[in-house]
Amino acid sequence: ERPDVDRVYMTFLQATTGDGGWPMSVFLTPSLHPFLAGTYFPARDASGQPVFESVLREVASQWETQRDALQKQGCAVIDLLRNATESQTSGSSLNLPQMECAERGYRQLVERFDAEHGGFNDSPKFPQPAAINFL
C-alpha cells in the first residue's frame, strides 16, 4: 500500500462523486492524472449501477475521441487538489473541525452502522479504516 498515493486518488474520488470506498477504480492519463473514478462496479447488472465492462468500454471510447480534453481535465484536477491541499495546510495553525462537525460525523456513522452484520451500510461491505479511526 502507498498511503501517499492512495490519498491523492481517494481525494479525487471523494471530490468527484461525494463518496469514497473500496474497491476504488481510478482512470488515469499516462502522466498519472485522474479523470474518472468510482468505488464499485458490479460484474453484472445490479441496482442500476454501471457494469465494470461497460465502464471500461466507455472510458476507452472517450479516450479515443476526447483524449486531449481528458488530459487537460486530469491536469486541472491535480492543480485543484494541490491548491486545496496547500491552502488547508498553509499557515501556522491547522483549521480543525468544530465539535458540531465531529458530532454530525458520529451521528452519520451511527445511522449507517449495521448491528446485525457489522460494518457500515448494506452490502457490499468493505473495510472503512477512516471511519474506525474517526470513532
Side-chain angles (χ1 to χ4, degrees), residues 5-20:
V5 173
D6 182 61
R7 186 177 311 111
V8 171
Y9 297 132
M10 182 59 76
T11 301
F12 171 73
L13 173 67
Q14 291 170 333
T16 56
T17 68
D19 204 4

Side-chain angles (χ1 to χ4, degrees), residues 17-133:
T17 68
D19 204 4
W22 298 99
M24 177 175 54
S25 297
V26 181
F27 297 91
L28 310 172
T29 67
S31 55
L32 305 180
H33 296 152
F35 62 88
L36 178 71
T39 55
Y40 175 74
F41 300 108
R44 294 182 244 350
D45 286 329
S47 306
Q49 291 179 300
V51 177
F52 192 61
E53 182 179 352
S54 297
V55 172
L56 292 176
R57 289 182 194 281
E58 183 62 26
V59 168
S61 173
Q62 287 186 18
W63 187 253
E64 288 300 317
T65 60
Q66 302 175 41
R67 183 174 307 194
D68 289 341
L70 293 175
Q71 288 179 319
K72 287 178 185 173
Q73 177 182 323
C75 287
V77 165
I78 290 296
D79 288 342
L80 287 170
L81 292 175
R82 185 179 295 119
N83 291 339
T85 303
E86 288 171 359
S87 68
Q88 289 175 359
T89 58
S90 65
S92 60
S93 65
L94 292 175
N95 191 9
L96 297 174
Q98 299 297 315
M99 184 54 89
E100 62 262 11
C101 180
E103 290 171 353
R104 189 175 81 214
Y106 173 78
R107 284 192 305 273
Q108 289 175 352
L109 288 172
V110 167
E111 290 171 9
R112 292 176 29 215
F113 182 70
D114 182 345
E116 184 177 344
H117 299 106
F120 298 95
N121 296 331
D122 297 327
S123 66
K125 296 200 184 264
F126 296 99
Q128 297 187 8
I132 302 301
N133 288 340

